[in-house]
């Protein structure tokens, strides 16, 4: 990585020096020297990115590289737009790119372009294709397994009525991991009456797909819903309510979005997956600084993930299942949400019952 930066960095370094200091003659910036860090996040349909990922990454970079400047863009689920944003940031002499790809395969071009300009890439949350330097995420198959396991727990002995399976955005490599992990637990245990992907993680796609599943299977016949994230869980629950279902079946989710935690407290959604984004963001910022400065990443590496181009140095964090029983001990204890944030209006009573005050 250091060598690559030296080889490809001549033009970029000259521009970078003009823009914001940085190394001379292609040298990486030295300790304490400021430089630009590009941050590309994939979408705004899921609340995590602007609410948690971006601020946590910026905060950690502020700690470890006080003079660094973060240039941020969100692609709104549009891979072409993300490519344009990457080119814009690379033209502004970023020294490292933290990339959460809309489309892992399409992002290979972005990664290759960055590499050609001597800019290392940290794959954030979703593993882009191409010569990526570092990767930090959660264990995605494990996420799917934990989701599916929580659904089986909720179903108890119920094994006759079908479930509906709503998977995530097909272009998101994580969605494939969640799906694979979930199938490894559900297959042979339950009947999957209907299964579909929600393009762009769209709650609306989940709602319409769920409405079609209800028409096909019968509203009262559905024993549970595997929804790959909280947005799609919300869409599925809307469809069930619109079909007149009052005793909602167990519905899974992911991301511990505030609306989902409130639904869990109120008994409308069974479970979500809590991904502690602060540690993830912290690792990403630390990897970015190591990559930009050509120094070793000193954090604990969990694995080397093959993305088809390289075995990428990876930190994969463990996901945590959240149901009503442990909202207090997970997202509240961690400070992800405060009691006043969660316990608004009609949720106050449910909070009280869950011991959250
Ligand atoms: C995935 C990410 C999940 C979730 C999903 C959209 O890539 O790992 O945490 O944000 O996108 O909900």
């Amino acid at each position: 990585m250091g060598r690559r930066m030296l080889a490809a960095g001549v033009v970029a370094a000259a521009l970078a020096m003009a823009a914001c200091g940085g190394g001379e003659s292609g040298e990486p910036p030295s300790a304490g020297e400021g430089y630009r860090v590009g941050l590309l996040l994939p979408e705004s349909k899921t609340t995590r990115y602007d609410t948690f990922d971006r601020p946590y990454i910026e905060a950690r970079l502020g700690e470890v590289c006080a003079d660094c400047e973060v240039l941020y863009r969100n692609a709104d689920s549009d891979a072409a737009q993300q490519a344009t944003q990457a080119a814009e940031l690379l033209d502004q002499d970023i020294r490292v790119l933290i990339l959460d790809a809309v489309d892992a395969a399409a992002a290979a071009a972005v990664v290759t372009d960055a590499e050609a300009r001597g800019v290392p890439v940290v794959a954030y949350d979703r593993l882009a294709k191409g010569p990526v330097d570092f990767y930090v995420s959660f264990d995605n198959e494990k996420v799917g397994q934990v989701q599916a396991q929580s659904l089986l727990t909720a179903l108890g002995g119920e094994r006759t009525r079908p479930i509906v399976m709503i998977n995530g955005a097909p272009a998101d490599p994580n969605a494939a991991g969640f799906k694979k992990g979930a199938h490894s637990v559900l297959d042979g245990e339950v009947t999957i009456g209907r299964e579909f992907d929600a393009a762009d993680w769209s709650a609306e796609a989940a709602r319409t797909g769920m409405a079609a599943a209800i028409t096909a299977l019968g509203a009262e016949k559905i024993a549970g819903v595997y929804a790959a994230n909280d947005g799609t869980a919300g869409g599925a629950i809307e469809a069930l309510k619109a079909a007149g279902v009052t005793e909602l079946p167990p519905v899974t989710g992911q991301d511990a979005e505030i609306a989902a935690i409130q639904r869990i407290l109120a008994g409308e959604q069974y479970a979500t997956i809590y991904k502690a984004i602060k540690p993830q963001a912290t690792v990403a910022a630390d990897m970015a600084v190591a990559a930009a400065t050509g120094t070793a990443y000193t954090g604990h590496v969990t694995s080397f993930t093959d993305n088809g181009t390289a075995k990428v140095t990876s930190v994969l964090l463990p996901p945590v299942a959240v149901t009503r029983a442990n909202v207090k001990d997970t997202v509240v204890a961690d400070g992800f949400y405060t009691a006043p944030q969660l316990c608004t209006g009609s949720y106050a009573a449910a909070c009280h019952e869950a011991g959250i005050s």
Side-chain angles (χ1 to χ4, degrees):
M1 174 180 33
R3 243 181 305 129
R4 198 186 76 211
M5 291 187 65
L6 290 178
V10 180
V11 176
L15 292 168
M17 277 165 59
C20 63
E24 288 175 28
S25 314
E27 291 294 338
S30 52
E33 198 170 10
Y35 46 89
R36 287 179 171 164
V37 176
L39 174 61
L40 294 178
L41 295 181
E43 47 131 324
S44 332
K45 287 199 174 74
T46 307
T47 53
R48 61 170 284 184
Y49 296 108
D50 285 300
T51 310
F52 295 111
D53 295 274
R54 178 188 180 188
Y56 282 145
I57 290 171
E58 289 180 340
R60 178 62 177 176
L61 281 167
E63 283 168 18
V64 291
C65 183
D67 293 326
C68 279
E69 183 191 358
V70 179
L71 304 187
Y72 168 68
R73 303 276 191 284
N74 187 307
D76 279 323
S77 307
D78 182 339
Q81 181 165 323
Q82 189 167 63
T84 305
Q85 293 173 338
E88 273 167 29
L89 298 194
L90 288 165
D91 283 345
Q92 293 181 63
D93 309 315
I94 53 169
R95 286 309 189 88
V96 58
L97 176 62
I98 301 174
L99 171 65
D100 193 337
V102 173
D103 179 320
V110 167
V111 178
T112 305
D113 187 19
E115 149 109 1
R117 302 195 202 197
V119 176
V121 176
V122 176
Y124 185 72
D125 202 75
R126 303 180 186 176
L127 183 54
K129 301 279 184 205
V132 167
D133 295 86
F134 287 107
Y135 173 46
V136 56
S137 189
F138 289 79
D139 182 333
N140 295 308
E141 279 187 46
K142 182 86 186 157
V143 169
Q145 287 166 3
V146 172
Q147 290 172 316
Q149 197 51 59
S150 72
L151 184 59
L152 287 187
T153 303
L155 291 174
E158 166 76 74
R159 290 294 187 272
T160 44
R161 292 183 304 148
I163 66 154
V164 174
M165 221 177 149
I166 306 175
N167 301 303
D172 174 354
N174 295 358
F178 307 146
K179 193 193 243 187
K180 188 172 173 205
H183 271 293
S184 75
V185 172
L186 296 173
D187 292 357
E189 290 291 331
V190 284
T191 305
I192 298 166
R194 273 262 163 145
E195 178 173 5
F196 59 94
D197 295 337
D200 293 345
W201 292 100
S202 156
E204 180 53 22
R207 194 185 62 73
T208 49
M210 187 68 203
I214 290 169
T215 305
L217 302 170
E220 304 298 334
K221 297 267 166 54
I222 296 167
V225 180
Y226 166 90
N229 81 339
D230 289 335
T232 53
I237 290 166
E238 266 182 46
L240 286 161
K241 285 184 177 173
V245 177
T246 46
E247 294 259 317
L248 289 166
V251 179
T252 65
Q254 172 177 190
D255 286 336
E257 291 200 347
I258 193 157
I261 298 292
Q262 289 178 324
R263 286 193 296 263
I264 287 172
L265 289 170
E268 292 194 335
Q269 182 173 327
Y270 177 69
T272 185
I273 297 289
Y274 171 47
K275 294 169 150 181
I277 297 171
K278 194 171 184 183
Q280 183 183 19
T282 300
V283 169
D286 292 352
M287 286 173 163
V289 168
T293 56
T295 51
Y297 172 69
T298 53
H300 175 66
V301 170
T302 59
S303 40
F304 296 87
T305 315
D306 194 343
N307 75 342
T309 306
K311 290 210 172 10
V312 185
T313 303
S314 307
V315 173
L316 297 183
L317 302 162
V320 175
V322 176
T323 62
R324 195 160 16 156
N326 66 346
V327 168
K328 184 181 176 197
D329 295 335
T330 54
V331 291
V332 177
D334 234 14
F336 202 62
Y337 299 122
T338 62
Q341 279 177 305
L342 287 176
C343 307
T344 52
S346 59
Y347 298 106
C351 271
H352 184 72
E353 270 174 47
I356 300 164
S357 58

